[in-house]
Amino acid sequence: MANTNLQFKTNYDVSSKIEPFYKGGKVQISKDEKYIFCTCGSHVNVLEISTGKIIHSVEHDDQEDITSFALSCDDELLVTASRALLLKQWDWKQAQCTRSWRAIHTVPVASMTFDSTSTLLATGGCDGTIKLWDVVKQYCTHNLKGSSGVVHLVEFHPDISRLQLFSSSLDCGIRLWDLRSSQCVCVLQSHYSAVTSLSFSADGGTMISSGRDKICTVWDLKSQKAKRTVPVYEAVEGVVMLPQKQDFSQIGVKSKDLHFITAGSKGVLRVWEASTARCVYTQTFPSTLSPISEDEEEKDDDPRSLVYLLHLPTSSRLATVTAEHNILLYQLPGLTTQQQFVGYNDEVLDVKFLGKGDSHIVVATNSCQLKVFELLTNSCQILYGHTDTVLSLDVFKKGFVFASCAKDRSVRVWQMDSDSGQVHCVAHGSSHTNAVGSITCSRMKASFIVSGSQDCTVKVWDLPADLSTTGADIHQLTARTTEKAHDKDVNSVAVSPNDKLLASGSQDRTAKLWSLAGEGTMGLLGVFRGHRRGVWAVCFSPVDQVLATTSADGTTKLWSLQDFSCLKTFEGHDASVLKVIFVSRGTQLLTSGSDGLVKLWTIKTNECVKTLDAHQDKVWGLHASRKDDKMVTGSADSNITVWVDVTEVELAEEQAKQEDQILKQQELSNLLHEKKYLKALGLAISLDQPHTVLTVIKAIRQVEDSRELLEKTVLKLRLDQKESLLRYCAVWNTNARNCLDAQAVLQVLLTHLPPEELLQYQGARTHLEGLIPYTERHMQRIGQLLQKSMFLNYMWQKMRVAGAPSGMGQDEEMDTTQLEQAQPLFMIDKGKEKGSSEEKRDGDDSDSGQDEDPNCPVDDEEDDDEVSVTKKASTNFVRAENGEGTKTNGNHHSESEESSEEEDQEERDQTTVKAAKCLLASSTPHCQTFAS
């Protein structure tokens, strides 16, 4: 199946993410108009307008939702209030909490605002009280009581010298508070529903209030009377007074009278002339979006309605926030759309690459709107057309035309302008009797689309040869053929690469293969049976006559198109497998599941090469780029993740790493050869190879004056290198072969470094605790060897030569003929013996503490040691026997004999301890040889 030259993919890495940053609540724009502040659960996110990226995020430690926040007018201070009744002051640029205090409110804070000097903070609580705080001197200055219910609006008069505060609560009145006397001066009564926003004129003498009772009121603040009530025929959420000295003729402002802009439930901006109460301009709808009807307007949750309107005076822009958590920026004076940000995608149901070089992605969310994101800037186009949730998407081969289907029982075809990147609807079709859950496009050219519906049918729709449209006219599609394909919902449809075959997967646990070759007909070719649950996705291989299916039973299966048999089954997901695509020219699969995982499979080996975990919920969307170097996933956790293939990058890194290791190993060998032990030890530690470090330590301990050289080398190491060396010693000490080297290094460290410095090393306590039990075990072993050697020494002195008579007469002498004949074998040069004794001592130390070199003749040396010691012991046995016989006969030793015995005793003592291990294994056979 696979091309032998093809390199399999091994890994993907996250390239970028589109995450939710706003889930409802307050939105505020900084004074310098560079940042948008918005709430998202327990976070306040800071969005940079120029890039669309979240650059800062602050969160309460208690994970409580933030109920309100306020940014000071100088953009320095951010204060947040949470459900835990805590107020926190932040240095938001560093995301650090500088101060927190307990709000005196008994229930959560509903609204807050700063005055123009950034020193006074007003908080309106759900308990009907308003509190003012001096954020510089850090105390509560006022406690204003009298409001009924939740205080959802507080606003300082822009002229701080007046020391006036406006507030509104559930009684629909606007209270004016004099902060000098802490008294409510008056209640401005005009609205019969909640007051949503206030806007002040430049001179501070006029104020406009908006409410959900579909009116706006113009107030004269000097007389504290209503000058004009303007019916706007929609529930208004935001009002902005237009500056009077600027030219706004493009939006219908012809006179110098007072004009204002409203935003509300109709979802569009409208300009009103206050003096005549006349609407002079209404924002135009997108071509596919019809105005909200009166019936729809009554719904509180209509996604098109606007919930905030903010003025950016410096750049002469307006910002609106929709009920679907989208933030749109408009440029005055023409109200042209400048930027769009999607704050919350809700559940992502499908996602596909789009545009030239896959520069965009189109996303279907739990919404009737489609969203097209530019990956570079995260800026978004919102596409209106469907009237219910969009369920599925598919893109034609060239990447500029795509199709969508929705719960509104319709299908739509959209086209992207290759130059401007703008997307518009070009065709529409609706003849299904239930929600359309899946759609697929022809592969060869943009000639037809196929849809599968919950009405159990599959429809083939022919597209016009020329999809270009003029004005608001769009092509109406009619179904070429309709087939009742399954007994239950059709979950997925796919067209083969040659446009001649169609596959469908259903909730009835089967997948079916259909022929599209006949004109106007669909012919059933076969049924794929084998899944134990509903089939979620079907996909044709781009190179083989193979179909891949995924199911709610947690498996992915490959089927032969020739005999409809199951070729392979891939098991690994813990829940339903929702999507499957072929990558690497049809040799590998990517699957996504309800467990939030994306898995990469190699078909030939049935092996899961990699599991990618970046989502917390079902991964509904999965699509690969046309170059096969990227993929995008969309999940029910509202996250969209773009992945990039890093197989070649990792391979290059691995090769570079290996080359670097080889070079360093060669450099290490050169340093050891040149006896530059300090550099060699530092290089070995930097490689983080304990065995290589041990090799260097062994090399140091084999030279003359090894102790001084080891001290000099180890003490010159850096602090972090000593830490690593201590860690390695704890490992070496567990092995009897390497314990002497570990103990030698430990002796240097413990002797020359103060305990305070040692305990500062990372993990020093753990390493030292691990050294103690093994060191005690090594000491016990040495103690046991010493005991056994003393026993052997005693035995050598007291044993008789085997076969000698038990008692000899006074004139009898032992027959030493055999001994004399064997004299050359047992005579040992004293000078050489002392030298060999020292060599044995060194050799024993190194053998017991180092790894054995396979090229060293260790066994021969041990044999030589054993023979020399046996010779020595045998000679001593003879001398001891002769001595005893002499004593029995009453004869005294000569002085020369006594001195020779003392020398022999010293040599025996020196040899015994060092050769004990060899003697334990070899003393008996040598004694037997001697006896014979």
Side-chain angles (χ1 to χ4, degrees):
M1 288 173 70
N3 184 348
T4 53
N5 296 324
L6 181 68
Q7 182 181 351
F8 289 143
K9 300 182 190 301
T10 57
N11 196 11
Y12 284 87
D13 198 12
V14 175
S15 170
S16 62
K17 269 190 168 188
I18 298 174
E19 300 176 283
F21 63 85
Y22 172 60
K23 293 183 179 179
K26 184 175 179 179
V27 174
Q28 189 173 346
I29 295 177
S30 60
K31 190 78 171 178
D32 60 11
E33 300 178 5
K34 292 181 180 178
Y35 307 102
I36 299 174
F37 291 74
C38 45
T39 54
C40 185
S42 60
H43 295 77
V44 172
N45 291 318
V46 185
L47 186 80
E48 189 172 26
I49 293 176
S50 59
T51 63
K53 306 285 186 186
I54 299 170
I55 58 165
H56 300 294
S57 182
V58 301
E59 180 185 17
H60 276 245
D61 300 332
D62 51 17
Q63 302 287 319
E64 290 283 348
D65 284 353
I66 291 174
T67 57
S68 186
F69 73 90
L71 179 70
S72 62
C73 293
D74 57 6
D75 291 343
E76 291 298 322
L77 299 178
L78 176 70
V79 177
T80 59
S82 72
R83 292 190 181 277
L85 307 181
L86 272 180
L87 292 172
K88 283 182 179 283
Q89 183 176 311
W90 302 85
D91 177 3
W92 61 270
K93 292 175 183 175
Q94 305 295 328
Q96 290 181 345
C97 178
T98 56
R99 175 181 165 234
S100 64
W101 69 96
R102 198 84 181 161
I104 311 174
H105 295 281
T106 56
V107 286
V109 174
S111 58
M112 64 168 66
T113 187
F114 273 95
D115 74 334
S116 57
T117 64
S118 302
T119 55
L120 283 178
L121 172 72
T123 59
C126 296
D127 54 2
T129 64
I130 302 167
K131 300 192 179 356
L132 272 75
W133 310 84
D134 188 322
V135 294
V136 178
K137 298 179 180 177
Q138 302 182 357
Y139 70 98
C140 180
T141 61
H142 297 74
N143 184 15
L144 309 178
K145 296 180 181 180
S147 302
S148 59
V150 177
V151 181
H152 58 265
L153 178 65
V154 286
E155 197 78 42
F156 282 98
H157 192 283
D159 184 2
I160 193 59
S161 61
R162 297 193 184 191
L163 281 176
Q164 290 179 338
L165 178 74
F166 296 85
S167 71
S168 180
S169 60
L170 290 181
D171 59 6
C172 308
I174 303 170
R175 280 180 164 75
L176 173 58
W177 303 87
D178 182 7
L179 301 184
R180 292 184 177 88
S181 62
S182 298
Q183 297 296 318
C184 177
V185 178
C186 67
V187 180
L188 306 178
Q189 294 284 3
S190 173
H191 293 278
Y192 296 95
S193 186
V195 178
T196 52
S197 69
L198 303 175
S199 181
F200 297 89
S201 61
D203 59 6
T206 306
M207 179 182 77
I208 298 179
S209 62
S210 66
R212 295 194 180 115
D213 52 4
K214 303 185 180 182
I215 64 168
C216 291
T217 305
V218 183
W219 301 90
D220 183 353
L221 295 182
K222 292 179 181 177
S223 63
Q224 298 170 1
K225 301 289 184 184
K227 288 167 56 175
R228 184 88 189 189
T229 298
V230 181
V232 294
Y233 310 108
E234 67 170 332
V236 183
E237 296 293 335
V239 62
V240 166
M241 199 177 298
L242 285 174
Q244 292 182 312
K245 295 181 181 179
Q246 296 183 27
D247 178 22
F248 294 106
S249 57
Q250 292 185 40
I251 51 175
V253 178
K254 305 298 184 184
S255 65
K256 293 186 178 180
D257 293 338
L258 182 66
H259 290 75
F260 59 91
I261 298 178
T262 60
S265 57
K266 287 186 182 294
V268 292
L269 298 176
R270 295 194 289 174
V271 182
W272 299 83
E273 188 176 24
S275 59
T276 61
R278 187 169 55 91
C279 177
V280 296
Y281 179 82
T282 301
Q283 187 183 17
T284 55
F285 289 97
S287 59
T288 56
L289 178 62
S290 59
I292 299 177
S293 65
E294 291 295 328
D295 294 337
E296 290 176 322
E297 195 179 331
E298 296 302 321
K299 300 178 184 177
D300 293 334
D301 58 348
D302 191 283
R304 287 172 281 180
S305 62
L306 302 176
V307 295
Y308 279 101
L309 177 63
L310 304 168
H311 188 213
L312 287 70
T314 306
S315 57
S316 188
R317 287 185 292 178
L318 290 175
T320 63
V321 183
T322 70
E324 232 185 15
H325 314 309
N326 302 325
I327 301 173
L328 293 84
L329 294 178
Y330 298 100
Q331 184 67 55
L332 289 172
L335 281 185
T336 52
T337 305
Q338 192 184 51
Q339 280 177 288
Q340 299 183 71
F341 302 107
V342 176
Y344 182 57
N345 281 316
D346 202 0
E347 196 167 342
V348 179
L349 302 180
D350 207 354
V351 59
K352 291 285 190 289
F353 280 108
L354 191 66
K356 185 178 180 181
D358 297 319
S359 58
H360 294 68
I361 56 172
V362 56
V363 182
T365 63
N366 196 12
S367 159
C368 59
Q369 304 160 7
L370 285 169
K371 301 179 179 73
V372 178
F373 290 91
E374 186 181 0
L375 291 175
L376 199 60
T377 63
N378 276 11
S379 64
C380 175
Q381 296 176 56
I382 299 173
L383 309 181
Y384 300 91
H386 287 288
T387 57
D388 207 341
T389 304
V390 181
L391 296 176
S392 183
L393 302 165
D394 198 22
V395 182
F396 285 95
K397 188 175 181 180
K398 291 186 178 179
F400 290 102
V401 181
F402 66 95
S404 63
C405 61
K407 281 185 179 180
D408 60 8
R409 308 176 186 179
S410 70
V411 297
R412 284 182 179 267
V413 180
W414 309 76
Q415 189 170 36
M416 171 185 271
D417 187 279
S418 57
D419 298 325
S420 66
Q422 294 298 311
V423 180
H424 59 280
C425 183
V426 293
H428 169 258
S430 58
S431 62
H432 280 287
T433 60
N434 208 333
V436 187
S438 60
I439 196 163
T440 185
C441 300
S442 55
R443 297 290 143 213
M444 302 285 283
K445 58 181 181 178
S447 58
F448 65 90
I449 58 175
V450 181
S451 60
S453 168
Q454 292 178 11
D455 59 14
C456 307
T457 65
V458 172
K459 290 180 184 286
V460 181
W461 311 75
D462 282 324
L463 298 183
D466 183 14
L467 282 171
S468 59
T469 59
T470 56
D473 295 329
I474 61 174
H475 298 284
Q476 293 298 319
L477 302 179
T478 55
R480 179 218 302 175
T481 180
T482 301
E483 187 76 33
K484 185 181 183 302
H486 291 273
D487 297 330
K488 292 184 179 179
D489 299 357
V490 179
N491 288 333
S492 178
V493 286
V495 173
S496 63
N498 61 4
D499 284 350
K500 292 182 179 179
L501 298 174
L502 171 71
S504 61
S506 168
Q507 206 64 32
D508 63 7
R509 307 181 188 181
T510 65
K512 293 185 179 181
L513 187 66
W514 308 82
S515 170
L516 294 175
E519 285 297 325
T521 60
M522 282 174 52
L524 180 63
L525 299 177
V527 181
F528 305 97
R529 291 187 174 90
H531 284 295
R532 300 187 303 276
R533 295 285 185 275
V535 177
W536 273 115
V538 292
C539 184
F540 283 97
S541 167
V543 292
D544 293 309
Q545 294 188 6
V546 168
L547 180 75
T549 62
T550 67
S551 168
D553 61 12
T555 65
T556 302
K557 290 180 181 288
L558 285 185
W559 308 84
S560 168
L561 300 184
Q562 303 294 328
D563 56 5
F564 310 105
S565 62
C566 179
L567 302 175
K568 285 180 182 289
T569 300
F570 302 88
E571 298 183 71
H573 286 280
D574 294 331
S576 301
V577 188
L578 302 175
K579 276 278 166 49
V580 60
I581 56 173
F582 284 87
V583 291
S584 307
R585 297 186 209 161
T587 60
Q588 289 182 296
L589 292 174
L590 277 168
T591 60
S592 65
S594 296
D595 50 10
L597 302 177
V598 177
K599 289 181 179 285
L600 175 65
W601 308 83
T602 299
I603 294 175
K604 187 175 181 180
T605 61
N606 257 52
E607 178 190 5
C608 177
V609 180
K610 189 72 179 177
T611 298
L612 307 170
D613 186 5
H615 294 288
Q616 307 300 319
D617 208 338
K618 300 180 183 70
V619 182
W620 286 110
L622 174 66
H623 192 230
S625 63
R626 288 191 291 280
K627 288 184 179 179
D628 207 22
D629 59 342
K630 290 188 292 185
M631 71 161 174
V632 62
T633 56
S635 168
D637 62 5
S638 186
N639 286 332
I640 300 165
T641 306
V642 180
W643 307 79
V644 62
D645 178 16
V646 293
T647 303
E648 293 184 3
V649 175
E650 287 187 347
L651 192 63
E653 286 178 355
E654 186 64 29
Q655 289 176 348
K657 190 176 178 181
Q658 290 177 358
E659 290 172 4
D660 189 49
Q661 290 277 10
I662 292 169
L663 290 173
K664 286 186 176 179
Q665 291 286 359
Q666 183 61 49
E667 185 183 354
L668 185 64
S669 301
N670 295 341
L671 290 172
L672 287 174
H673 183 71
E674 295 167 7
K675 296 188 177 181
K676 296 179 179 178
Y677 295 116
L678 179 61
K679 287 185 178 180
L681 192 59
L683 180 60
I685 292 173
S686 70
L687 290 172
D688 197 23
Q689 295 178 352
H691 182 73
T692 309
V693 179
L694 181 63
T695 306
V696 178
I697 296 292
K698 289 181 185 292
I700 294 173
R701 295 190 67 230
Q702 286 174 352
V703 301
E704 293 183 4
D705 299 326
S706 60
R707 186 169 180 177
E708 291 78 5
L709 180 59
L710 184 64
E711 284 184 10
K712 182 181 175 183
T713 306
V714 169
L715 294 175
K716 283 185 179 179
L717 293 174
R718 298 194 310 268
L719 184 68
D720 59 324
Q721 293 174 330
K722 291 176 184 175
E723 282 183 8
S724 300
L725 200 57
L726 180 62
R727 188 173 77 249
Y728 299 156
C729 284
V731 178
W732 299 337
N733 196 50
T734 61
N735 189 343
R737 293 176 181 272
N738 307 326
C739 66
L740 287 180
D741 302 294
Q743 295 292 335
V745 174
L746 281 173
Q747 184 182 9
V748 175
L749 293 174
L750 296 174
T751 306
H752 294 85
L753 298 180
E756 294 80 12
E757 182 181 340
L758 274 173
L759 290 174
Q760 289 177 356
Y761 290 174
Q762 188 176 1
R765 292 180 182 275
T766 308
H767 299 323
L768 294 172
E769 288 172 1
L771 284 164
I772 293 170
Y774 283 99
T775 304
E776 289 176 347
R777 187 181 299 177
H778 297 322
M779 294 302 295
Q780 289 174 2
R781 186 164 48 82
I782 293 170
Q784 291 170 359
L785 285 173
L786 283 171
Q787 289 177 6
K788 292 175 181 177
S789 65
M790 291 174 68
F791 173 72
L792 277 174
N793 189 25
Y794 173 77
M795 293 297 292
W796 290 341
Q797 293 182 42
K798 298 301 181 184
M799 284 174 64
R800 295 172 183 273
V801 179
S806 58
M808 294 183 182
Q810 192 171 14
D811 297 330
E812 289 179 352
E813 291 184 3
M814 184 186 294
D815 183 6
T816 59
T817 306
Q818 292 182 353
L819 290 175
E820 289 172 357
Q821 290 175 356
Q823 191 69 24
L825 294 173
F826 296 102
M827 290 299 291
I828 299 169
D829 189 349
K830 298 287 180 67
K832 289 182 180 178
E833 185 174 300
K834 288 181 181 178
S836 65
S837 174
E838 292 174 359
E839 289 172 6
K840 279 188 284 181
R841 190 179 302 118
D842 292 341
D844 187 70
D845 287 349
S846 61
D847 287 342
S848 63
Q850 300 177 9
D851 291 334
E852 295 173 355
D853 188 343
N855 298 321
C856 295
V858 178
D859 296 335
D860 295 341
E861 291 176 3
E862 286 181 343
D863 292 343
D864 293 345
D865 290 345
E866 291 169 6
V867 171
S868 62
V869 173
T870 308
K871 288 176 183 177
K872 185 80 175 189
S874 303
T875 308
N876 291 338
F877 290 158
V878 174
R879 288 174 178 170
E881 188 66 32
N882 289 337
E884 284 184 7
T886 307
K887 282 183 181 181
T888 306
N889 295 326
N891 298 330
H892 296 283
H893 292 289
S894 65
E895 290 180 7
S896 62
E897 287 173 340
E898 288 177 358
S899 64
S900 65
E901 282 182 6
E902 290 173 0
E903 290 174 3
D904 290 345
Q905 182 65 35
E906 289 176 5
E907 289 172 3
R908 279 201 304 273
D909 293 340
Q910 292 174 0
T911 308
T912 299
V913 175
K914 301 301 181 183
K917 195 183 295 184
C918 299
L919 286 167
L920 283 171
S922 57
S923 60
T924 304
H926 281 294
C927 287
Q928 290 174 354
T929 305
F930 175 73
S932 63

